[in-house]
Amino acid sequence: MAERIKIFDTTLRDGEQSPGCSMNLHEKLELAKQLEKLKVDVIEAGFAMASPGDFAAVKKVAETIKNSTVASLARAVPEDVDKAYEAIKYAESPRIHTFIATSDIHMKYKLKATKKDVLERAVEMVKYSKSYCNDVEFSAEDASRSDFDFLCRIFEAVIKAGATVINIPDTVGYTTPDEFFRLIHHIKTNVPNIDKAEISVHCHNDLGLAVANTLAAARAGATQLECTINGIGERAGNAALEEIAMTLNTRKDIYNFNLGIETTEIYPTSRLVSKLTGMKIQHNKAIVGENAFAHESGIHQHGMLAHKSTYEIMTPESVGLTKNKLVLGKHSGRHAFEERLKTLGYTLNKEDLDKVFSKFKELADKKKQIFDRDIEALMQEKTANVKEIYKLKHFVINSGNSITPTATIKLLKEDKEIEEVAIGNGPIYSAFRAIDKIVGNGFSLEDYAIHAVTEGEDAQGEATVKIKLHENTYNGRGVSTDVVEASIKAYINAINKMLNELEWQEE
Ligand code: KIV
Ligand code: ZN
């Protein structure tokens, strides 16, 4: 019987720590629900002590998720453990994840503590966590650069204190597959009570080896693999969940494990993470990149036509990638549209369906052929729980290579119409400046990008905008067959998210 391997997803914690990847409470909840659909075993919902916003998000995820364990990170200090438990206590299956650094470098320069102090603190905090919650994970931060025998001693002690999972992070992405295999094997054979805890690994991707190291660890005996969707995370990121899952599934001859992941949810989850964080997926990214299943050269296309197995080691359908088919047009009815949405994995209530269907009809008037990707773009524009404080009423742009671009923008705030005019060094910049005049600024534009959703002259443009207020960033998205309109919608969407969050903080 193949051994069960567990997937611990840390997109909401380590992933969210990547620069510019922050998400608001509603976005985190939406992602947590999707991770539950993907059937990850553990969702690390955040670091409850980090801020009141993080605490609220971990708590909300814990209250909502029923089929995955929900964990909160906590440094090995009592206040962090208290906060973590306070946030996760309503979960169906709660876990406290506490950590302390164990490498000489971290102990000397960061903690200014001896091995003895670190070992004592680790044991104390595992015992303290255990007084709240049966499921306690202990991580030895920077384990891969720690003294192997010290690691064995600390793991033995925390297991004795009640740790149910011991995690071995390659915090700085320094190890290699052979070395990491030896480390996991060393721990498995030298920690006398190791059979009482699960072995977990957590690899960073600084040398591009995170997935390879994680898989080597699985072969050496690790049964919990920590990872993130699209590999987002601190610096170069974490091991990518989709790559680990599809390698384990595709190469069962080498990795004889049982995995709970619903692989057909991989693609929708990847797109959701990209949408919520504003972090683009590189086109040649394994499994979920735009080109991952595209066969360009004549020789490859010929082979694929003769037999798919010539160049395809897994099917696009197995990761939930539906073909970019021509699906609907101007005369398609609501029922056909709803059916297509279901096939793409979206089930909407009547009110949301009405809204998206009317957007679809507007689009069908402008665009002859509507593809799955167009529908996905419409769906991604629909942002859950973001109250539209400002709505676009109309815009007029005057632009050319011999005049100063001028934008007139009229926005609706509740029933009030507000109009402003601004100039700028381009049609989009002038539109953004006119919006700034209406909304008032204080925030800055951090990033802006536009790309075509599908091919063809009438393709929709999808704009993404990132704005920053103090330390928080907000991502906005807008889709239209007119790129200026897409950009304006994206800018307003980001502003609405920012204002929503300010309102929640005031409540
Ligand atoms: O990379 C790391 O060491 C971590 C730990 C807190 C698990 O993220
Ligand atoms: Zn990490």
Side-chain angles (χ1 to χ4, degrees):
M1 175 78 178
E3 189 157 11
R4 175 76 159 79
I5 211 125
K6 290 190 185 152
I7 295 292
F8 175 116
D9 180 276
T10 182
T11 311
L12 287 167
R13 199 277 296 168
D14 217 322
E16 213 233 355
Q17 279 172 224
S18 6
C21 275
S22 54
M23 291 172 256
N24 67 32
L25 186 142
H26 297 291
E27 291 169 332
K28 286 180 183 173
L29 190 62
E30 189 180 352
L31 177 54
K33 288 185 193 160
Q34 179 58 35
L35 291 170
E36 191 179 35
K37 253 175 140 179
L38 178 65
K39 297 200 176 143
V40 303
D41 298 280
V42 186
I43 296 174
E44 185 162 52
F47 184 2
M49 188 67 183
S51 71
D54 282 59
F55 175 82
V58 178
K59 183 164 178 278
K60 192 79 196 152
V61 171
E63 287 165 350
T64 310
I65 296 301
K66 300 290 168 228
N67 300 316
S68 308
T69 294
V70 177
S72 170
L73 188 67
R75 287 166 300 184
V77 291
E79 302 73 40
D80 275 33
V81 173
D82 293 339
K83 262 279 187 276
Y85 184 65
E86 190 58 32
I88 53 150
K89 67 180 173 193
Y90 297 110
E92 214 51 40
S93 165
R95 175 181 293 180
I96 296 175
H97 176 194
T98 186
F99 74 99
I100 191 163
T102 51
S103 66
D104 289 347
I105 302 175
H106 278 231
M107 288 189 291
K108 181 171 173 195
Y109 296 108
K110 190 176 85 174
L111 299 176
K112 303 191 184 355
T114 62
K115 281 183 176 162
K116 185 170 168 287
D117 299 333
V118 166
L119 193 141
E120 279 171 12
R121 254 175 77 184
V123 168
E124 230 177 275
M125 282 309 111
V126 168
K127 279 191 185 155
Y128 189 53
S129 305
K130 200 73 183 177
S131 71
Y132 280 132
C133 175
N134 185 48
D135 193 359
V136 175
E137 173 167 338
F138 170 76
S139 283
E141 191 190 10
D142 206 17
S144 55
R145 293 193 300 167
S146 303
D147 169 36
F148 283 16
D149 291 324
F150 176 53
L151 273 184
C152 290
R153 275 201 286 134
I154 200 165
F155 285 143
E156 182 183 352
V158 294
I159 294 170
K160 204 162 153 225
T164 41
V165 182
I166 54 125
N167 184 35
I168 303 148
D170 180 28
T171 303
V172 289
Y174 180 70
T175 198
T176 66
D178 289 348
E179 182 187 62
F180 207 46
F181 181 96
R182 282 199 299 276
L183 172 57
I184 307 307
H185 182 72
H186 183 82
I187 288 165
K188 203 172 155 69
T189 46
N190 288 285
V191 175
N193 51 0
I194 196 71
D195 57 313
K196 298 202 170 52
E198 178 130 34
I199 301 180
S200 168
V201 291
H202 173 112
C203 296
H204 279 270
N205 205 29
D206 300 66
L207 293 172
L209 293 172
V211 171
N213 290 336
T214 305
L215 294 171
R219 291 190 68 206
T223 50
Q224 176 181 283
L225 311 180
E226 302 199 355
C227 43
T228 59
I229 303 293
N230 300 339
I232 65 170
E234 282 277 5
R235 305 179 310 279
N238 290 60
L241 183 151
E242 60 279 7
E243 296 176 23
I244 294 172
M246 289 317 287
T247 306
L248 293 178
N249 269 0
T250 308
R251 297 307 308 271
K252 278 203 184 303
D253 53 328
I254 294 183
Y255 304 99
N256 184 24
F257 298 115
N258 252 326
L259 193 67
I261 293 294
E262 177 54 63
T263 62
T264 55
E265 291 296 334
I266 284 180
Y267 188 71
T269 316
S270 162
R271 299 294 291 234
L272 180 65
V273 167
S274 173
K275 171 197 124 179
L276 296 179
T277 59
M279 187 89 123
K280 291 263 169 316
I281 302 165
Q282 81 198 49
H283 283 200
N284 63 334
K285 163 87 182 60
I287 319 292
V288 290
E290 184 90 21
N291 297 346
F293 293 93
H295 301 275
E296 186 73 21
S297 85
I299 297 174
H300 285 208
Q301 285 176 354
H302 176 76
M304 283 291 288
L305 287 173
H307 202 281
K308 284 192 173 171
S309 63
T310 50
Y311 289 102
E312 201 170 80
I313 57 165
M314 57 197 154
T315 64
E317 290 78 11
S318 67
V319 300
L321 183 67
T322 49
K323 298 231 170 57
N324 193 23
K325 279 189 263 172
L326 166 64
V327 278
L328 299 166
K330 193 172 163 157
H331 302 293
S332 305
R334 191 188 153 90
H335 183 68
F337 179 68
E338 189 177 5
E339 282 307 304
R340 196 64 215 159
L341 279 179
K342 280 193 188 143
T343 316
L344 293 173
Y346 301 106
T347 309
L348 301 186
N349 61 31
K350 187 178 170 310
E351 193 190 336
D352 284 342
L353 181 64
D354 286 346
K355 278 191 204 153
V356 185
F357 185 62
S358 87
K359 283 188 176 174
F360 161 73
K361 281 288 181 187
E362 272 171 36
L363 179 64
D365 271 340
K366 294 184 196 158
K367 195 172 185 293
K368 283 193 284 277
Q369 303 178 319
I370 298 198
F371 296 87
D372 282 347
R373 293 269 301 284
D374 288 312
I375 296 181
E376 281 188 341
L378 284 183
M379 286 305 301
Q380 290 188 357
E381 208 193 16
K382 175 191 139 328
T383 39
N385 288 303
V386 176
K387 194 168 79 191
E388 286 188 283
I389 296 174
Y390 287 101
K391 275 190 204 156
L392 177 64
K393 172 86 177 160
H394 78 218
F395 70 91
V396 178
I397 309 282
N398 248 319
S399 183
N401 64 358
S402 56
I403 57 166
T404 305
T406 312
T408 307
I409 304 274
K410 189 180 277 182
L411 300 187
L412 273 178
K413 188 178 187 195
E414 288 164 2
D415 289 335
K416 201 168 141 215
E417 292 184 353
I418 317 169
E419 188 173 74
E420 281 293 349
V421 181
I423 55 167
N425 59 8
I428 288 163
Y429 186 53
S430 60
F432 287 1
R433 287 193 61 190
I435 295 170
D436 288 346
K437 280 189 173 175
I438 295 172
V439 175
N441 40 28
F443 60 89
S444 56
L445 176 65
E446 292 291 297
D447 202 8
Y448 163 75
I450 184 125
H451 78 275
V453 175
T454 50
E455 279 132 44
E457 281 171 13
D458 61 356
Q460 292 196 92
E462 181 182 45
T464 49
V465 158
K466 186 171 287 182
I467 60 172
K468 187 169 183 184
L469 178 70
H470 310 309
E471 283 318 299
N472 298 324
T473 54
Y474 305 89
N475 299 305
R477 189 169 286 254
V479 192
S480 170
T481 45
D482 176 330
V483 290
V484 178
E485 185 175 18
S487 308
I488 293 171
K489 282 169 140 184
Y491 198 56
I492 296 172
N493 181 228
I495 289 170
N496 280 333
K497 282 189 185 172
M498 175 185 75
L499 296 176
N500 272 249
E501 186 143 307
L502 293 179
E503 274 187 5
W504 295 326
Q505 280 168 10
E506 276 166 21
E507 277 164 16

